[in-house]
Amino acid sequence: MLKQTLTSLALAATLGLAGQAAAQEYTLRATANSNEQDEDYDGLVVFKNYVERASNGAIAVELFIGTQLCGNGAECLQGVADGSIDIFISTSGGAAGIFPYIQVLDLPYLMSDDRVAEHVLSGDFTRTIRDMALEDSGGKIRLMTIGNTGGWRNFANTQKRIQTPADMEGLKIRTVVADLPQELVRALGASPTPIPWPELFTSFQTGVVDGSKNGITDVMNMKFPDAGLQYMTLDQHAYMGALWFMSNDRFMEMPEDLRRVVVDGFYQLQQATFASPKRKSIAAYEEFVAGGGDLYVPTPEEKQAFADAAAPVYDWFQQNVDGGEEAFAALEEAVAAAEEEINAARDADIQ
């Protein structure tokens, strides 16, 4: 142990690191309840490479993919709070039981495209949600960044092409247990049916559900077309945000220079998860169509009809979700600012 410490100190001195950072070593245990084909894994690989390199070995990152450390969102976030897990990635549905207002990411048709979504999630909106989560967790759980996991949610089903909200009538659409996705499905005229993810393939086969709201990479990775899922409407009603949480105690015990490395590492991770679904979706869409799948892109008028039908969900969210009003206001403000800046840039670039 003494030999290892002396070696670490010598290496730090050679590399010119600050004394405090050089004298300490940190191992971060990061987990994702997914697999190595997922965008979450791509992000973690980039994060690990950047942080270990930029810290000159002062920080090591161990990756636990799947359910090695914890089995679901609530269990994993409890691990972050008590310090047994340092980093965990969750969808909004996976963390809504603890931080209900993060379902704001599931509100439909608020962010129009990747450029707007990426701008919003890289700014003060994420910091607002971070402050809310820190307060609600007693300073234990820190939101580091919001990336992407699977592109955009679209409606897919086994029965027919969906072009308007009227086409949703009578369909049983799989949702997670969280309230907001169920409210959205009801607003569009369909019946929400909570089904655990591992049971969804069989549920399509047996008719327990007719459809779901997923990204194309998830649809193809799970081979849902083999279970009869042959129709997809690219309404892009929600950006599939991935919330990356870290133990705040673990983060704050680091010296400032290493905290900066970790923050920059999460920026690198975020950019990787923004890019990964774009590339993977190309082959996924091609495979879906080659297998007989029907892809439909709504016209602007049809998409507006979906947005109008879903509008009551905004009021429901603000009135019924703890912290919903604050989170919704932050998102609306961020989207408006992003659209203004992006449109100005586009106008300048096409001249």
Side-chain angles (χ1 to χ4, degrees):
M1 184 66 179
L2 177 60
K3 181 178 180 182
Q4 181 181 5
T5 302
L6 292 173
T7 301
S8 298
L9 288 171
L11 175 61
T14 301
L15 296 173
L17 291 176
Q20 185 181 13
Q24 301 181 53
E25 292 185 356
Y26 300 87
T27 299
L28 301 180
R29 292 159 56 89
T31 188
N33 295 158
S34 51
N35 57 60
E36 294 186 2
Q37 284 70 52
D38 199 89
E39 293 83 7
D40 307 337
Y41 179 73
D42 293 344
L44 279 173
V45 169
V46 171
F47 176 82
K48 173 180 171 67
N49 177 72
Y50 178 85
V51 168
E52 292 181 345
R53 177 170 49 83
S55 69
N56 285 310
I59 303 174
V61 180
E62 296 181 350
L63 306 185
F64 297 86
I65 307 303
T67 56
Q68 300 177 65
L69 299 185
C70 53
N72 56 57
E75 182 183 342
C76 296
L77 285 171
Q78 182 59 51
V80 175
D82 65 29
S84 61
I85 296 170
D86 297 308
I87 295 166
F88 170 63
I89 180 266
S90 176
T91 61
S92 56
I98 299 175
F99 308 121
Y101 42 82
I102 65 173
Q103 294 178 86
V104 71
L105 293 173
D106 292 329
L107 286 174
Y109 310 112
L110 288 179
M111 296 188 287
S112 57
D113 57 33
D114 285 297
R115 193 167 178 180
V116 170
E118 291 168 9
H119 191 291
V120 166
L121 299 182
S122 299
D124 286 338
F125 166 75
T126 297
R127 298 183 182 98
T128 296
I129 302 301
R130 173 187 303 150
D131 291 342
M132 295 172 71
L134 275 171
E135 181 176 355
D136 289 346
S137 65
K140 292 296 185 180
I141 300 176
R142 184 183 189 92
L143 177 64
M144 299 302 297
T145 193
I146 304 178
N148 185 258
T149 178
W152 291 83
R153 292 193 186 278
N154 298 298
F155 286 108
N157 77 98
T158 62
Q159 302 299 312
K160 60 184 178 179
R161 175 183 286 187
I162 296 173
Q163 295 183 224
T164 68
D167 296 326
M168 299 279 289
E169 189 72 31
L171 292 178
K172 295 171 290 186
I173 303 296
R174 181 263 178 181
T175 69
V176 294
V177 178
D179 291 334
L180 191 148
Q182 296 182 54
E183 289 296 323
L184 170 59
V185 169
R186 288 192 191 98
L188 296 177
S191 300
T193 308
I195 295 288
W197 183 250
E199 298 175 16
L200 189 49
F201 185 97
T202 302
S203 297
F204 286 137
Q205 284 183 315
T206 58
V208 172
V209 292
D210 302 308
S212 67
K213 43 199 300 303
N214 292 110
I216 186 63
T217 53
D218 285 338
V219 166
M220 299 313 296
N221 286 342
M222 296 297 290
K223 302 187 184 304
F224 288 151
D226 293 346
L229 201 74
Q230 290 293 320
Y231 300 91
M232 178 171 283
T233 299
L234 303 185
D235 67 311
Q236 295 191 335
H237 57 270
Y239 189 76
M240 296 179 67
L243 299 109
W244 291 86
F245 294 101
M246 182 172 180
S247 163
N248 192 51
D249 289 343
R250 190 66 162 152
F251 179 73
M252 294 305 297
E253 76 180 16
M254 294 181 173
E256 186 173 324
D257 58 339
L258 292 187
R259 293 204 301 272
R260 185 181 300 273
V261 168
V262 170
V263 166
D264 287 347
F266 276 108
Y267 170 80
Q268 299 287 339
L269 175 153
Q270 181 196 52
Q271 296 302 302
T273 66
F274 284 164
S276 182
K278 297 183 181 75
R279 180 183 63 80
K280 291 179 178 178
S281 67
I282 296 171
Y285 281 123
E286 290 176 349
E287 184 181 356
F288 182 78
V289 172
D294 180 84
L295 284 179
Y296 182 72
V297 179
T299 66
E301 293 77 17
E302 289 169 343
K303 189 163 183 178
Q304 186 60 51
F306 278 102
D308 292 343
V313 179
Y314 306 153
D315 292 334
W316 176 90
F317 179 79
Q318 294 177 81
Q319 294 167 7
N320 292 279
V321 174
D322 289 342
E325 192 170 0
E326 181 179 355
F328 182 75
L331 181 57
E332 267 202 319
E333 181 181 352
V335 168
E339 289 178 340
E340 181 178 1
E341 182 174 331
I342 290 167
N343 287 334
R346 284 172 175 153
D347 290 343
D349 290 341
I350 65 176
Q351 300 302 319

